[in-house]
Amino acid sequence: GWKDAISITIINFNNEKMQITWAARELFPGENVSFSYTFDEGKPKVWKPCPTYLLDRGYNSGCLFKTEGPTLAISIRNSNGREEFFSKRLKSDFYIKPNRPENVTFFWKEDTVTVSCNKPERAVKCLILELQYKSKFDKDWQSRTSKCCSVGEQGFDPRKCYSFRVRLKRRVPYCNTVNYSSDWEAETFWMNGTLVDSCGDDIKSQSNRVIVLSCLLAALLMIPTLLILLCKSQRLQKSVMPAIPDPKYIFAELFNDHNGNFQEWIDKTDHAMVQTKLEYEEPECIIEAESQREDEKNSDKQGSQEKICSFSRAAENNDPKAAQIACLMPTSNTVASFAGFQILMNDDMYVML
């Protein structure tokens, strides 16, 4: 009875190749079994050894061979073939796994899409075409099925990007005992009826645009605030810490001509000031004195005395500490001030020191 408990997996690839697999290590521990098959319904049967074994850690765990008819008989024996562990007779047509759909086309009309593919050469009535799609806003695939080999769906938003994939399925239980489907055809991406490379690019571009616009808006809002804070900070800085004048602008000669040597600069400055005072020459002044006689008879005669006052230059006498001026002019004893000098007026002479 343990022979009936053995579980095997049977796949007929598009009625072209058979694959029989079993759990070798669990079912036959320590035993490297052999496999044989036949499509012959006559008696005696002609058994064929497995042409290609599938291995699991060195143990035979399956067999791959060509499909040669609708009825299949298989046998699993020990390594020398004398003891049979398992045997089964089955209809190979009920274990067909179809191939991928070929030449898949998409036809768009407004919000409706129709997907079609080429019809297989065999058992078209047993096949169903399945369409799955989803947008970037869908978490799960949406599925639609129809008889081979065309399926349509409507309600697609042209502003969204959709992913599509299709496959063929066998009808169960009318054609298959096992619900076998083909592998998915390569996934394609569509937006507004146009084939695109990826919907991920669309999501990324939209997110990038949102980020850029948000940054620009934040920057525009921050600029006035920064300007206000800058003005306030400058005012506060001026009020708390007033600017200290740079001495290099006030004493340019000290830093430019004397490299900050104060003693050298002050000596030269004093000499220049003395030279300036010594070389300064007061312009000639003409003092006119008019006297009127008390006699009205001689009022027509007026006399004026004009004296020219001149400074005797100290530079010419090499005496920087004195300057004299003398004007012959009758005056009275008077002391006056003229241009910052003390003037002594005595009789017919006045002297400026």
Side-chain angles (χ1 to χ4, degrees):
W2 65 271
K3 294 181 180 180
D4 296 334
I6 294 177
S7 175
I8 62 174
T9 301
I10 306 167
I11 303 176
N12 183 359
F13 292 102
N14 200 39
N15 210 24
E16 297 173 355
K17 188 174 289 187
M18 297 292 300
Q19 177 180 289
I20 311 296
T21 57
W22 57 87
R25 299 179 63 201
E26 289 79 5
L27 297 175
F28 313 107
E31 183 75 30
N32 203 5
V33 297
S34 62
F35 179 86
S36 58
Y37 69 96
T38 182
F39 288 93
D40 189 1
E41 296 182 1
K43 295 182 179 180
K45 294 181 175 62
V46 179
W47 294 92
K48 297 180 180 180
C50 176
T52 305
Y53 277 105
L54 305 176
L55 302 179
D56 179 15
R57 299 183 183 181
Y59 290 92
N60 296 334
S61 62
C63 183
L64 191 64
F65 54 95
K66 184 180 178 180
T67 303
E68 299 175 1
T71 304
L72 172 65
I74 60 175
S75 175
I76 299 176
R77 298 174 178 269
N78 61 1
S79 58
N80 56 21
R82 295 179 181 178
E83 182 181 359
E84 186 178 70
F85 294 147
F86 177 78
S87 63
K88 186 176 179 67
R89 188 172 179 271
L90 54 92
K91 288 288 185 179
S92 61
D93 292 346
F94 282 84
Y95 296 91
I96 293 178
K97 179 178 181 179
N99 289 339
R100 294 178 179 178
E102 298 179 353
N103 193 22
V104 178
T105 58
F106 289 78
F107 176 74
W108 290 78
K109 185 177 181 180
E110 296 178 353
D111 65 339
T112 303
V113 60
T114 302
V115 183
S116 59
C117 67
N118 289 348
K119 290 184 179 181
E121 296 178 358
R122 301 176 183 176
V124 177
K125 294 182 179 180
C126 289
L127 294 175
I128 297 173
L129 182 62
E130 181 181 11
L131 168 67
Q132 287 190 348
Y133 63 91
K134 68 176 180 178
S135 70
K136 59 187 177 182
F137 303 103
D138 299 324
K139 294 182 179 180
D140 300 322
W141 289 94
Q142 308 296 318
S143 183
R144 294 291 181 272
T145 58
S146 180
K147 64 180 182 179
C148 188
C149 292
S150 178
V151 60
E153 181 63 16
Q154 62 183 5
F156 292 98
D157 190 343
R159 297 171 297 179
K160 296 180 180 179
C161 182
Y162 292 91
S163 303
F164 290 91
R165 63 183 185 181
V166 293
R167 67 179 178 180
L168 289 172
K169 298 178 65 175
R170 289 277 292 186
R171 293 178 180 270
V172 177
Y174 305 104
C175 299
N176 259 35
T177 58
V178 182
N179 189 11
Y180 282 146
S181 302
S182 70
D183 296 332
W184 290 104
E185 180 62 12
E187 188 175 347
T188 57
F189 307 93
W190 296 80
M191 185 174 183
N192 196 18
T194 304
L195 183 65
V196 295
D197 294 334
S198 175
C199 288
D201 296 338
D202 177 64
I203 298 173
K204 185 177 180 180
S205 61
Q206 287 189 0
S207 61
N208 288 340
R209 285 196 295 267
V210 172
I211 293 173
V212 170
L213 292 176
S214 301
C215 293
L216 290 176
L217 181 60
L220 292 176
L221 294 176
M222 286 295 294
I223 288 175
T225 306
L226 291 175
L227 291 176
I228 294 173
L229 293 176
L230 181 61
C231 294
K232 289 186 176 181
S233 64
Q234 289 180 351
R235 292 179 182 177
L236 180 61
Q237 184 178 2
K238 289 181 180 180
S239 61
V240 176
M241 295 184 298
I244 300 175
D246 193 342
K248 70 179 180 180
Y249 297 108
I250 302 176
F251 305 101
E253 295 181 357
L254 172 62
F255 293 96
N256 295 336
D257 299 338
H258 303 283
N259 295 325
N261 192 329
F262 181 80
Q263 188 62 43
E264 180 182 337
W265 172 74
I266 196 64
D267 291 342
K268 187 174 180 180
T269 303
D270 289 345
H271 179 69
M273 292 177 64
V274 171
Q275 289 292 104
T276 302
K277 290 182 180 180
L278 293 178
E279 292 179 2
Y280 176 79
E281 182 176 350
E282 190 73 25
E284 294 182 354
C285 59
I286 300 174
I287 301 177
E288 295 182 355
E290 297 183 356
S291 61
Q292 296 180 356
R293 296 181 179 180
E294 295 179 356
D295 192 356
E296 294 179 358
K297 293 180 181 181
N298 298 328
S299 58
D300 295 334
K301 296 182 180 180
Q302 296 178 351
S304 62
Q305 296 181 347
E306 183 177 298
K307 300 295 180 180
I308 300 175
C309 304
S310 62
F311 291 97
S312 60
R313 295 186 178 181
E316 296 176 357
N317 300 328
N318 294 324
D319 187 0
K321 296 183 179 180
Q324 297 180 355
I325 180 171
C327 294
L328 295 176
M329 180 177 175
T331 58
S332 60
N333 295 336
T334 306
V335 178
S337 175
F338 177 76
F341 295 93
Q342 295 293 326
I343 303 173
L344 177 60
M345 299 179 183
N346 186 12
D347 295 334
D348 57 351
M349 177 183 296
Y350 66 91
V351 179
M352 180 181 292
L353 297 178

mmCIF file of all heavy atoms in Angstrom, residues 183-224:
data_model
loop_
_atom_site.group_PDB
_atom_site.id
_atom_site.type_symbol
_atom_site.label_atom_id
_atom_site.label_comp_id
_atom_site.label_asym_id
_atom_site.label_seq_id
_atom_site.Cartn_x
_atom_site.Cartn_y
_atom_site.Cartn_z
ATOM 1 N N ASP A 183 4.157 30.621 -18.680
ATOM 2 C CA ASP A 183 4.895 31.716 -18.048
ATOM 3 C C ASP A 183 4.382 33.051 -18.597
ATOM 4 O O ASP A 183 3.840 33.136 -19.703
ATOM 5 C CB ASP A 183 6.399 31.573 -18.328
ATOM 6 C CG ASP A 183 6.973 30.310 -17.693
ATOM 7 O OD1 ASP A 183 6.427 29.854 -16.665
ATOM 8 O OD2 ASP A 183 7.963 29.793 -18.247
ATOM 9 N N TRP A 184 4.571 34.085 -17.816
ATOM 10 C CA TRP A 184 4.109 35.404 -18.234
ATOM 11 C C TRP A 184 4.949 35.927 -19.397
ATOM 12 O O TRP A 184 6.169 35.773 -19.417
ATOM 13 C CB TRP A 184 4.180 36.410 -17.082
ATOM 14 C CG TRP A 184 3.183 36.182 -15.985
ATOM 15 C CD1 TRP A 184 3.425 35.639 -14.767
ATOM 16 C CD2 TRP A 184 1.793 36.490 -16.037
ATOM 17 N NE1 TRP A 184 2.269 35.596 -14.027
ATOM 18 C CE2 TRP A 184 1.244 36.112 -14.779
ATOM 19 C CE3 TRP A 184 0.941 37.038 -16.996
ATOM 20 C CZ2 TRP A 184 -0.107 36.266 -14.474
ATOM 21 C CZ3 TRP A 184 -0.410 37.192 -16.688
ATOM 22 C CH2 TRP A 184 -0.919 36.812 -15.448
ATOM 23 N N GLU A 185 4.272 36.518 -20.342
ATOM 24 C CA GLU A 185 4.978 37.226 -21.402
ATOM 25 C C GLU A 185 5.669 38.451 -20.805
ATOM 26 O O GLU A 185 5.293 38.931 -19.731
ATOM 27 C CB GLU A 185 3.986 37.637 -22.505
ATOM 28 C CG GLU A 185 4.569 38.390 -23.669
ATOM 29 C CD GLU A 185 5.612 37.580 -24.436
ATOM 30 O OE1 GLU A 185 5.730 36.346 -24.216
ATOM 31 O OE2 GLU A 185 6.318 38.185 -25.239
ATOM 32 N N ALA A 186 6.682 38.936 -21.458
ATOM 33 C CA ALA A 186 7.456 40.069 -20.939
ATOM 34 C C ALA A 186 6.535 41.247 -20.624
ATOM 35 O O ALA A 186 5.648 41.605 -21.410
ATOM 36 C CB ALA A 186 8.521 40.489 -21.948
ATOM 37 N N GLU A 187 6.745 41.839 -19.466
ATOM 38 C CA GLU A 187 5.917 42.958 -18.996
ATOM 39 C C GLU A 187 6.193 44.195 -19.842
ATOM 40 O O GLU A 187 7.336 44.507 -20.176
ATOM 41 C CB GLU A 187 6.227 43.241 -17.526
ATOM 42 C CG GLU A 187 5.308 44.250 -16.872
ATOM 43 C CD GLU A 187 5.602 44.381 -15.394
ATOM 44 O OE1 GLU A 187 6.342 43.525 -14.859
ATOM 45 O OE2 GLU A 187 5.097 45.338 -14.770
ATOM 46 N N THR A 188 5.122 44.896 -20.202
ATOM 47 C CA THR A 188 5.234 46.131 -20.980
ATOM 48 C C THR A 188 4.558 47.271 -20.231
ATOM 49 O O THR A 188 3.711 47.046 -19.352
ATOM 50 C CB THR A 188 4.591 45.987 -22.370
ATOM 51 O OG1 THR A 188 3.218 45.595 -22.222
ATOM 52 C CG2 THR A 188 5.329 44.944 -23.200
ATOM 53 N N PHE A 189 4.929 48.508 -20.615
ATOM 54 C CA PHE A 189 4.440 49.702 -19.918
ATOM 55 C C PHE A 189 3.839 50.656 -20.948
ATOM 56 O O PHE A 189 4.458 50.946 -21.984
ATOM 57 C CB PHE A 189 5.580 50.380 -19.155
ATOM 58 C CG PHE A 189 6.328 49.450 -18.245
ATOM 59 C CD1 PHE A 189 7.475 48.793 -18.682
ATOM 60 C CD2 PHE A 189 5.871 49.203 -16.959
ATOM 61 C CE1 PHE A 189 8.159 47.926 -17.850
ATOM 62 C CE2 PHE A 189 6.549 48.331 -16.126
ATOM 63 C CZ PHE A 189 7.691 47.690 -16.568
ATOM 64 N N TRP A 190 2.644 51.143 -20.609
ATOM 65 C CA TRP A 190 1.908 52.003 -21.541
ATOM 66 C C TRP A 190 1.373 53.228 -20.807
ATOM 67 O O TRP A 190 0.989 53.155 -19.652
ATOM 68 C CB TRP A 190 0.740 51.247 -22.172
ATOM 69 C CG TRP A 190 1.159 50.096 -23.019
ATOM 70 C CD1 TRP A 190 1.527 48.852 -22.596
ATOM 71 C CD2 TRP A 190 1.252 50.080 -24.444
ATOM 72 N NE1 TRP A 190 1.844 48.051 -23.668
ATOM 73 C CE2 TRP A 190 1.686 48.781 -24.824
ATOM 74 C CE3 TRP A 190 1.001 51.027 -25.437
ATOM 75 C CZ2 TRP A 190 1.876 48.430 -26.146
ATOM 76 C CZ3 TRP A 190 1.187 50.665 -26.767
ATOM 77 C CH2 TRP A 190 1.635 49.381 -27.109
ATOM 78 N N MET A 191 1.359 54.343 -21.533
ATOM 79 C CA MET A 191 0.780 55.571 -21.009
ATOM 80 C C MET A 191 0.114 56.331 -22.141
ATOM 81 O O MET A 191 0.765 56.656 -23.144
ATOM 82 C CB MET A 191 1.850 56.445 -20.335
ATOM 83 C CG MET A 191 1.305 57.689 -19.661
ATOM 84 S SD MET A 191 2.609 58.566 -18.750
ATOM 85 C CE MET A 191 1.627 59.883 -18.017
ATOM 86 N N ASN A 192 -1.188 56.536 -22.020
ATOM 87 C CA ASN A 192 -1.974 57.251 -23.034
ATOM 88 C C ASN A 192 -1.826 56.585 -24.397
ATOM 89 O O ASN A 192 -1.692 57.246 -25.437
ATOM 90 C CB ASN A 192 -1.546 58.717 -23.110
ATOM 91 C CG ASN A 192 -2.569 59.570 -23.857
ATOM 92 O OD1 ASN A 192 -3.717 59.170 -24.022
ATOM 93 N ND2 ASN A 192 -2.141 60.724 -24.331
ATOM 94 N N GLY A 193 -1.848 55.243 -24.394
ATOM 95 C CA GLY A 193 -1.770 54.505 -25.641
ATOM 96 C C GLY A 193 -0.397 54.449 -26.262
ATOM 97 O O GLY A 193 -0.258 53.996 -27.403
ATOM 98 N N THR A 194 0.634 54.882 -25.547
ATOM 99 C CA THR A 194 2.006 54.898 -26.072
ATOM 100 C C THR A 194 2.890 53.996 -25.221
ATOM 101 O O THR A 194 2.855 54.059 -23.990
ATOM 102 C CB THR A 194 2.570 56.329 -26.076
ATOM 103 O OG1 THR A 194 1.700 57.175 -26.823
ATOM 104 C CG2 THR A 194 3.963 56.359 -26.688
ATOM 105 N N LEU A 195 3.701 53.184 -25.887
ATOM 106 C CA LEU A 195 4.617 52.293 -25.184
ATOM 107 C C LEU A 195 5.780 53.098 -24.610
ATOM 108 O O LEU A 195 6.421 53.885 -25.312
ATOM 109 C CB LEU A 195 5.148 51.237 -26.155
ATOM 110 C CG LEU A 195 6.068 50.166 -25.571
ATOM 111 C CD1 LEU A 195 5.308 49.294 -24.580
ATOM 112 C CD2 LEU A 195 6.658 49.314 -26.699
ATOM 113 N N VAL A 196 6.049 52.921 -23.315
ATOM 114 C CA VAL A 196 7.135 53.629 -22.633
ATOM 115 C C VAL A 196 8.082 52.604 -22.028
ATOM 116 O O VAL A 196 7.779 51.411 -21.946
ATOM 117 C CB VAL A 196 6.591 54.580 -21.544
ATOM 118 C CG1 VAL A 196 5.761 55.687 -22.156
ATOM 119 C CG2 VAL A 196 5.771 53.821 -20.505
ATOM 120 N N ASP A 197 9.238 53.082 -21.622
ATOM 121 C CA ASP A 197 10.259 52.176 -21.079
ATOM 122 C C ASP A 197 9.891 51.642 -19.700
ATOM 123 O O ASP A 197 10.080 50.467 -19.400
ATOM 124 C CB ASP A 197 11.611 52.887 -21.010
ATOM 125 C CG ASP A 197 12.145 53.214 -22.388
ATOM 126 O OD1 ASP A 197 11.769 52.501 -23.336
ATOM 127 O OD2 ASP A 197 12.918 54.174 -22.515
ATOM 128 N N SER A 198 9.367 52.528 -18.844
ATOM 129 C CA SER A 198 9.061 52.117 -17.482
ATOM 130 C C SER A 198 8.117 53.114 -16.841
ATOM 131 O O SER A 198 8.187 54.313 -17.129
ATOM 132 C CB SER A 198 10.346 51.997 -16.649
ATOM 133 O OG SER A 198 10.043 51.716 -15.308
ATOM 134 N N CYS A 199 7.245 52.610 -15.979
ATOM 135 C CA CYS A 199 6.387 53.499 -15.197
ATOM 136 C C CYS A 199 7.137 54.080 -14.011
ATOM 137 O O CYS A 199 6.725 55.090 -13.452
ATOM 138 C CB CYS A 199 5.144 52.752 -14.701
ATOM 139 S SG CYS A 199 3.950 52.376 -16.002
ATOM 140 N N GLY A 200 8.221 53.414 -13.605
ATOM 141 C CA GLY A 200 9.025 53.943 -12.515
ATOM 142 C C GLY A 200 9.624 55.281 -12.860
ATOM 143 O O GLY A 200 9.774 56.159 -12.010
ATOM 144 N N ASP A 201 10.012 55.503 -14.138
ATOM 145 C CA ASP A 201 10.558 56.786 -14.562
ATOM 146 C C ASP A 201 9.530 57.877 -14.425
ATOM 147 O O ASP A 201 9.831 59.003 -14.042
ATOM 148 C CB ASP A 201 11.032 56.700 -16.010
ATOM 149 C CG ASP A 201 12.181 55.711 -16.178
ATOM 150 O OD1 ASP A 201 12.857 55.437 -15.164
ATOM 151 O OD2 ASP A 201 12.377 55.223 -17.306
ATOM 152 N N ASP A 202 8.254 57.527 -14.739
ATOM 153 C CA ASP A 202 7.195 58.525 -14.615
ATOM 154 C C ASP A 202 6.988 58.920 -13.170
ATOM 155 O O ASP A 202 6.857 60.091 -12.841
ATOM 156 C CB ASP A 202 5.889 57.957 -15.192
ATOM 157 C CG ASP A 202 4.722 58.914 -15.037
ATOM 158 O OD1 ASP A 202 4.767 59.998 -15.620
ATOM 159 O OD2 ASP A 202 3.766 58.564 -14.312
ATOM 160 N N ILE A 203 7.000 57.926 -12.262
ATOM 161 C CA ILE A 203 6.838 58.222 -10.842
ATOM 162 C C ILE A 203 8.005 59.036 -10.329
ATOM 163 O O ILE A 203 7.850 60.012 -9.590
ATOM 164 C CB ILE A 203 6.702 56.899 -10.048
ATOM 165 C CG1 ILE A 203 5.449 56.131 -10.497
ATOM 166 C CG2 ILE A 203 6.655 57.165 -8.558
ATOM 167 C CD1 ILE A 203 5.344 54.751 -9.891
ATOM 168 N N LYS A 204 9.195 58.660 -10.761
ATOM 169 C CA LYS A 204 10.394 59.369 -10.303
ATOM 170 C C LYS A 204 10.412 60.791 -10.810
ATOM 171 O O LYS A 204 10.754 61.727 -10.074
ATOM 172 C CB LYS A 204 11.634 58.614 -10.783
ATOM 173 C CG LYS A 204 12.943 59.186 -10.267
ATOM 174 C CD LYS A 204 14.103 58.345 -10.728
ATOM 175 C CE LYS A 204 15.427 58.913 -10.209
ATOM 176 N NZ LYS A 204 16.565 58.092 -10.650
ATOM 177 N N SER A 205 10.035 60.987 -12.108
ATOM 178 C CA SER A 205 10.044 62.340 -12.658
ATOM 179 C C SER A 205 9.022 63.225 -11.956
ATOM 180 O O SER A 205 9.281 64.391 -11.670
ATOM 181 C CB SER A 205 9.747 62.290 -14.161
ATOM 182 O OG SER A 205 8.459 61.736 -14.410
ATOM 183 N N GLN A 206 7.839 62.649 -11.654
ATOM 184 C CA GLN A 206 6.834 63.439 -10.954
ATOM 185 C C GLN A 206 7.309 63.783 -9.548
ATOM 186 O O GLN A 206 7.145 64.919 -9.092
ATOM 187 C CB GLN A 206 5.507 62.665 -10.897
ATOM 188 C CG GLN A 206 4.792 62.601 -12.244
ATOM 189 C CD GLN A 206 3.397 62.036 -12.105
ATOM 190 O OE1 GLN A 206 2.963 61.695 -11.000
ATOM 191 N NE2 GLN A 206 2.686 61.936 -13.210
ATOM 192 N N SER A 207 7.888 62.816 -8.852
ATOM 193 C CA SER A 207 8.381 63.116 -7.507
ATOM 194 C C SER A 207 9.502 64.137 -7.545
ATOM 195 O O SER A 207 9.593 65.014 -6.679
ATOM 196 C CB SER A 207 8.859 61.822 -6.841
ATOM 197 O OG SER A 207 9.923 61.252 -7.577
ATOM 198 N N ASN A 208 10.367 64.061 -8.582
ATOM 199 C CA ASN A 208 11.446 65.041 -8.706
ATOM 200 C C ASN A 208 10.888 66.429 -8.962
ATOM 201 O O ASN A 208 11.383 67.422 -8.410
ATOM 202 C CB ASN A 208 12.387 64.635 -9.841
ATOM 203 C CG ASN A 208 13.232 63.424 -9.476
ATOM 204 O OD1 ASN A 208 13.395 63.116 -8.299
ATOM 205 N ND2 ASN A 208 13.779 62.751 -10.464
ATOM 206 N N ARG A 209 9.858 66.531 -9.792
ATOM 207 C CA ARG A 209 9.240 67.841 -10.050
ATOM 208 C C ARG A 209 8.637 68.414 -8.785
ATOM 209 O O ARG A 209 8.757 69.611 -8.506
ATOM 210 C CB ARG A 209 8.178 67.704 -11.144
ATOM 211 C CG ARG A 209 8.747 67.546 -12.543
ATOM 212 C CD ARG A 209 7.688 67.812 -13.588
ATOM 213 N NE ARG A 209 6.623 66.833 -13.534
ATOM 214 C CZ ARG A 209 6.600 65.722 -14.255
ATOM 215 N NH1 ARG A 209 7.604 65.441 -15.076
ATOM 216 N NH2 ARG A 209 5.584 64.879 -14.176
ATOM 217 N N VAL A 210 7.982 67.557 -8.008
ATOM 218 C CA VAL A 210 7.392 68.029 -6.759
ATOM 219 C C VAL A 210 8.470 68.531 -5.807
ATOM 220 O O VAL A 210 8.340 69.580 -5.168
ATOM 221 C CB VAL A 210 6.557 66.897 -6.107
ATOM 222 C CG1 VAL A 210 6.109 67.307 -4.711
ATOM 223 C CG2 VAL A 210 5.356 66.572 -6.964
ATOM 224 N N ILE A 211 9.580 67.793 -5.733
ATOM 225 C CA ILE A 211 10.673 68.195 -4.837
ATOM 226 C C ILE A 211 11.275 69.514 -5.282
ATOM 227 O O ILE A 211 11.535 70.413 -4.466
ATOM 228 C CB ILE A 211 11.738 67.084 -4.786
ATOM 229 C CG1 ILE A 211 11.167 65.835 -4.096
ATOM 230 C CG2 ILE A 211 12.983 67.573 -4.059
ATOM 231 C CD1 ILE A 211 12.089 64.639 -4.151
ATOM 232 N N VAL A 212 11.504 69.665 -6.592
ATOM 233 C CA VAL A 212 12.101 70.898 -7.108
ATOM 234 C C VAL A 212 11.192 72.093 -6.851
ATOM 235 O O VAL A 212 11.643 73.162 -6.396
ATOM 236 C CB VAL A 212 12.410 70.744 -8.614
ATOM 237 C CG1 VAL A 212 12.810 72.082 -9.218
ATOM 238 C CG2 VAL A 212 13.516 69.728 -8.819
ATOM 239 N N LEU A 213 9.897 71.937 -7.138
ATOM 240 C CA LEU A 213 8.970 73.033 -6.908
ATOM 241 C C LEU A 213 8.880 73.394 -5.430
ATOM 242 O O LEU A 213 8.810 74.572 -5.070
ATOM 243 C CB LEU A 213 7.579 72.655 -7.442
ATOM 244 C CG LEU A 213 7.456 72.534 -8.971
ATOM 245 C CD1 LEU A 213 6.068 72.067 -9.358
ATOM 246 C CD2 LEU A 213 7.765 73.871 -9.646
ATOM 247 N N SER A 214 8.903 72.385 -4.576
ATOM 248 C CA SER A 214 8.856 72.660 -3.137
ATOM 249 C C SER A 214 10.093 73.423 -2.678
ATOM 250 O O SER A 214 10.002 74.369 -1.887
ATOM 251 C CB SER A 214 8.728 71.343 -2.367
ATOM 252 O OG SER A 214 7.569 70.632 -2.742
ATOM 253 N N CYS A 215 11.249 73.037 -3.197
ATOM 254 C CA CYS A 215 12.488 73.739 -2.822
ATOM 255 C C CYS A 215 12.483 75.179 -3.300
ATOM 256 O O CYS A 215 12.901 76.093 -2.580
ATOM 257 C CB CYS A 215 13.694 72.993 -3.385
ATOM 258 S SG CYS A 215 13.973 71.364 -2.640
ATOM 259 N N LEU A 216 12.008 75.400 -4.537
ATOM 260 C CA LEU A 216 11.948 76.764 -5.061
ATOM 261 C C LEU A 216 11.002 77.624 -4.232
ATOM 262 O O LEU A 216 11.305 78.791 -3.916
ATOM 263 C CB LEU A 216 11.500 76.739 -6.525
ATOM 264 C CG LEU A 216 12.515 76.174 -7.533
ATOM 265 C CD1 LEU A 216 11.893 76.129 -8.920
ATOM 266 C CD2 LEU A 216 13.771 77.020 -7.548
ATOM 267 N N LEU A 217 9.842 77.068 -3.886
ATOM 268 C CA LEU A 217 8.889 77.824 -3.080
ATOM 269 C C LEU A 217 9.466 78.150 -1.716
ATOM 270 O O LEU A 217 9.339 79.285 -1.216
ATOM 271 C CB LEU A 217 7.593 77.016 -2.932
ATOM 272 C CG LEU A 217 6.464 77.671 -2.135
ATOM 273 C CD1 LEU A 217 6.055 78.989 -2.792
ATOM 274 C CD2 LEU A 217 5.263 76.747 -2.021
ATOM 275 N N ALA A 218 10.129 77.183 -1.100
ATOM 276 C CA ALA A 218 10.746 77.434 0.205
ATOM 277 C C ALA A 218 11.826 78.501 0.110
ATOM 278 O O ALA A 218 11.960 79.360 0.991
ATOM 279 C CB ALA A 218 11.321 76.133 0.761
ATOM 280 N N ALA A 219 12.609 78.460 -0.984
ATOM 281 C CA ALA A 219 13.667 79.467 -1.156
ATOM 282 C C ALA A 219 13.078 80.858 -1.329
ATOM 283 O O ALA A 219 13.580 81.844 -0.754
ATOM 284 C CB ALA A 219 14.532 79.100 -2.355
ATOM 285 N N LEU A 220 12.001 80.966 -2.118
ATOM 286 C CA LEU A 220 11.366 82.278 -2.309
ATOM 287 C C LEU A 220 10.804 82.821 -1.002
ATOM 288 O O LEU A 220 10.835 84.038 -0.761
ATOM 289 C CB LEU A 220 10.253 82.155 -3.357
ATOM 290 C CG LEU A 220 10.717 81.881 -4.798
ATOM 291 C CD1 LEU A 220 9.519 81.690 -5.712
ATOM 292 C CD2 LEU A 220 11.585 83.026 -5.299
ATOM 293 N N LEU A 221 10.280 81.941 -0.181
ATOM 294 C CA LEU A 221 9.746 82.394 1.103
ATOM 295 C C LEU A 221 10.853 82.762 2.084
ATOM 296 O O LEU A 221 10.660 83.637 2.949
ATOM 297 C CB LEU A 221 8.861 81.291 1.708
ATOM 298 C CG LEU A 221 7.572 80.979 0.942
ATOM 299 C CD1 LEU A 221 6.840 79.817 1.587
ATOM 300 C CD2 LEU A 221 6.650 82.205 0.897
ATOM 301 N N MET A 222 11.998 82.136 1.959
ATOM 302 C CA MET A 222 13.092 82.390 2.903
ATOM 303 C C MET A 222 13.873 83.657 2.588
ATOM 304 O O MET A 222 14.451 84.271 3.480
ATOM 305 C CB MET A 222 14.053 81.193 2.899
ATOM 306 C CG MET A 222 13.516 79.964 3.608
ATOM 307 S SD MET A 222 13.290 80.249 5.382
ATOM 308 C CE MET A 222 14.989 80.486 5.898
ATOM 309 N N ILE A 223 13.894 84.072 1.312
ATOM 310 C CA ILE A 223 14.702 85.240 0.930
ATOM 311 C C ILE A 223 14.270 86.497 1.674
ATOM 312 O O ILE A 223 15.105 87.204 2.257
ATOM 313 C CB ILE A 223 14.651 85.435 -0.594
ATOM 314 C CG1 ILE A 223 15.477 84.335 -1.274
ATOM 315 C CG2 ILE A 223 15.197 86.811 -0.987
ATOM 316 C CD1 ILE A 223 15.388 84.357 -2.784
ATOM 317 N N PRO A 224 12.958 86.893 1.704
ATOM 318 C CA PRO A 224 12.592 88.090 2.463
ATOM 319 C C PRO A 224 12.917 87.983 3.947
ATOM 320 O O PRO A 224 13.358 88.954 4.565
ATOM 321 C CB PRO A 224 11.072 88.190 2.228
ATOM 322 C CG PRO A 224 10.806 87.399 1.009
ATOM 323 C CD PRO A 224 11.799 86.301 1.019
#
